[in-house]
Amino acid sequence: MLPTPVPPRIAIIGGGPAGLMAADVLSQAGVTVDLYDAMPSVGRKFLLAGVGGMNITHSEAFEPFVARYRERASALRPLLEAFDATQLRRWIHELGIDTFVGSSGRVFPTDMKAAPLLRAWLRRLREAGVQLHTRHRWLGWNADGSLRLQGPDDEHHIMADAVLLALGGGSWARLGSDGAWVPLLEARGVPVRALRPANCGFDVTGWSPLLKERFAGAPLKTVSLRLPEGEPRKGEFVVTATGIEGSLVYALSADIRERIERDGCALILLDLLPDHSLEKIARALARPRGSQSMAKHLKRQLGLDGVKAGLLRELAAADAFDDPQRLAQAIKALPITLRRPRPLDEAISSAGGLPFEALDDGLMLRQLPGVFCAGEMLDWEAPTGGYLLTACFASGRAAAQGMLRWLGR
């Protein structure tokens, strides 16, 4: 009788969405999977991303969806074609979690929470035989090709038939994505593009003490932002003690960051009243105000007060307040000069990482046969709105399938 073949053994380093998705695909194919994570529990960044509502993906049509990945759209297209937003929702439904499409097109679990989804997912992985090893930090390789893993008590050396690295980018280090993998791969000759903040806030040269004291943390709602040559985006953001941040800023963050890298600073234009035309604002400002202060005039005629009025006073030329036309122009295009992005660890996600050119079609490193990579380690970025998670899921699935092909499964 022929001996029963031993199933291949896979080591996955990283317990975020990409690593967990790969473990799901591999275990369903009958492969022995050991998943290692440096944190006390897996999926920590996934859980934090769900605070305030777990935005899992987006329902928009496929072509505009793929375009959200900018210059990496062509590299991610085949991954997303194989596992798009519809297929991701179907997979979530198989876990017993219902989803719905919000008014903005974003997709959420019905209860808006990440924890029930993660619990159902981990239960399925354990039932499929996946072994989860927490508090195990990857330290690189030994000379014999075994993996070095620092456990709670001592160092372990693990041999695997193939390895998936899904270690995240460089943001939110306290949750495990600390970029410590970069020098380990560079030491093996793997090219890595510098990790940079994405979906991040930005600093100005400095707000006045009055603006910081009165309005740091204040939200600006129903406004629009644009680069001088770009189309305006409508939404909201927050004034911080050092600059600005929030969803509307994140939507432009890649362009702003690249402008700062090129020119040393980036000018953006704020429209405080995007639903009012320039002419309408100028007419309202030209009405007699008598003995009223300019602050009361702005509030009475245009409803402009609070942080919006504070920014107008901060950034508009002083003599513009004597000219209704110039003041109207300032309200419609208030210039904000941004000097630097906030530190990488404060960003929602990171740009940079492993270039797709260093990987084959199965997401295996050309320099290191048998070593695959997925998730935010790869050199791509996307805005918030479900795009980040979708690409992490899709790349984890693609890497798992690449591993199965490489193992002849």
Side-chain angles (χ1 to χ4, degrees), residues 207 267-270 311 314-317 329-330 333-337:
W207 297 128
L267 177 69
I268 59 170
L269 300 175
L270 167 63
L311 275 177
E314 179 90 359
L315 298 171
Q329 291 169 347
L334 196 61
I336 304 177
T337 300

Side-chain angles (χ1 to χ4, degrees), residues 40-324:
S41 58
V42 299
R44 291 202 158 197
K45 192 171 180 181
F46 180 76
L47 289 173
L48 187 59
V51 173
M54 179 77 258
N55 179 199
I56 201 77
T57 189
H58 202 287
S59 64
E60 71 181 340
F62 185 75
E63 289 303 325
F65 190 104
V66 174
R68 301 287 186 177
Y69 300 93
R70 297 163 56 89
E71 63 270 14
R72 286 307 191 183
S74 59
L76 286 166
R77 175 180 289 274
L79 282 62
L80 295 168
E81 285 176 340
F83 198 67
D84 62 10
T86 300
Q87 291 163 299
L88 174 54
R89 292 184 70 189
R90 188 179 302 126
W91 174 81
I92 294 171
H93 298 162
E94 290 172 358
L95 291 173
I97 306 295
D98 291 330
T99 61
F100 74 96
V101 180
S103 58
S104 65
R106 299 183 180 200
V107 177
F108 303 88
T110 301
D111 61 4
M112 299 289 287
K113 297 177 181 177
L117 170 56
L118 183 60
R119 284 197 299 268
W121 194 2
L122 294 177
R123 183 169 58 248
R124 170 164 150 158
L125 292 176
R126 291 190 178 102
E127 289 172 353
V130 175
Q131 297 292 314
L132 301 178
H133 309 271
T134 56
R135 302 182 190 272
H136 280 71
R137 178 173 292 277
W138 180 57
L139 303 177
W141 291 272
N142 291 303
D144 64 358
S146 60
L147 297 165
R148 296 177 57 208
L149 290 152
Q150 179 62 54
D153 301 317
D154 53 15
E155 185 174 316
H156 303 276
H157 299 165
I158 307 298
M159 294 297 296
D161 295 295
V163 178
L164 172 65
L165 302 178
L167 290 155
S171 63
W172 295 4
R174 72 186 188 279
L175 301 179
S177 299
D178 57 9
W181 54 269
V182 172
L184 298 177
L185 289 180
E186 288 181 330
R188 302 295 293 264
V190 177
V192 182
R193 291 179 177 159
L195 296 176
R196 299 170 292 162
N199 292 298
C200 59
F202 293 86
D203 289 344
V204 299
T205 300
W207 297 128
S208 67
L210 178 63
L211 188 80
K212 285 195 291 186
E213 180 182 343
R214 294 188 60 186
F215 298 117
L220 283 99
K221 299 187 176 182
T222 318
V223 295
S224 72
L225 286 176
R226 65 180 175 89
L227 291 164
E229 72 284 0
E231 292 296 318
R233 289 176 178 264
K234 190 175 176 182
E236 60 184 74
F237 68 94
V238 175
V239 171
T240 69
T242 62
I244 59 175
E245 66 176 30
S247 58
L248 186 54
V249 178
Y250 303 155
L252 295 170
S253 64
D255 290 326
I256 294 172
R257 186 193 66 235
E258 290 171 1
R259 189 66 55 87
I260 291 173
E261 290 171 351
R262 190 190 74 190
D263 300 336
C265 65
L267 177 69
I268 59 170
L269 300 175
L270 167 63
D271 186 343
L272 294 168
L273 297 173
D275 296 329
H276 291 58
S277 68
L278 176 66
E279 293 74 17
K280 180 179 180 180
I281 294 171
R283 285 197 302 272
L285 292 173
R287 294 181 185 126
R289 62 184 176 97
S291 61
Q292 277 188 336
S293 66
M294 176 57 73
K296 289 185 178 179
H297 189 56
L298 288 168
K299 182 176 181 180
R300 181 177 180 182
Q301 297 298 331
L302 297 168
L304 205 60
D305 61 355
V307 63
K308 288 187 177 182
L311 275 177
L312 182 63
R313 181 64 70 176
E314 179 90 359
L315 298 171
D319 56 1
F321 289 87
D322 299 325
D323 184 336

